[in-house]
Amino acid sequence: MSQNKTDSFIPTVIKTSLDLPPLWGRLAFLSPARAELVSHFELPEGRIVALTFELGRAPFEDIRARIKKALQDSDGYYNYSLVFLDPAQSELLKAAIAGASPRK
């Protein structure tokens, strides 16, 4: 899991429950199957979250993921390794990531 080693972050809303207010964080890595999330908010490993963010011009809402690993860095941020749960959502992410990549 990377420890805040990227210059490009994707702002993200993190929903943990319908009856709790949303949290915030940043995606430091994103692929169709997994992501790395950085946040000030502590969440336990195994927790399922729903993420909302924009990738290019495409909005993504309530992308379901499970926290596989959680580490706190020396600055107090939590670094989460996530795996996406919904294959249909992963396919949409795959298409958006391919469309957002610079062409050679």
Side-chain angles (χ1 to χ4, degrees), residues 25-67:
R26 302 170 300 191
L27 292 173
F29 172 82
L30 179 64
S31 78
R34 65 183 198 87
E36 291 184 12
L37 175 69
V38 179
S39 181
H40 265 301
F41 300 97
E42 183 177 10
L43 299 166
E45 288 182 14
R47 179 94 183 236
I48 294 176
V49 295
L51 307 177
T52 297
F53 56 90
E54 288 186 13
L55 182 60
R57 295 183 199 168
F60 287 89
E61 220 174 297
D62 295 331
I63 303 298
R64 292 175 23 101
R66 179 182 312 277
I67 298 172

Side-chain angles (χ1 to χ4, degrees), residues 10 29-34 53 55-56 58 60 84 90-103:
I10 300 170
F29 172 82
L30 179 64
S31 78
R34 65 183 198 87
F53 56 90
L55 182 60
F60 287 89
F84 294 119
S90 291
E91 283 300 314
L92 292 172
L93 280 171
K94 182 178 179 180
I97 290 168
S101 299
R103 311 240 171 184

Side-chain angles (χ1 to χ4, degrees), residues 11-25:
T12 306
V13 174
I14 308 161
K15 296 177 190 170
T16 59
S17 171
L18 292 175
D19 57 341
L20 293 174
L23 309 174
W24 57 268

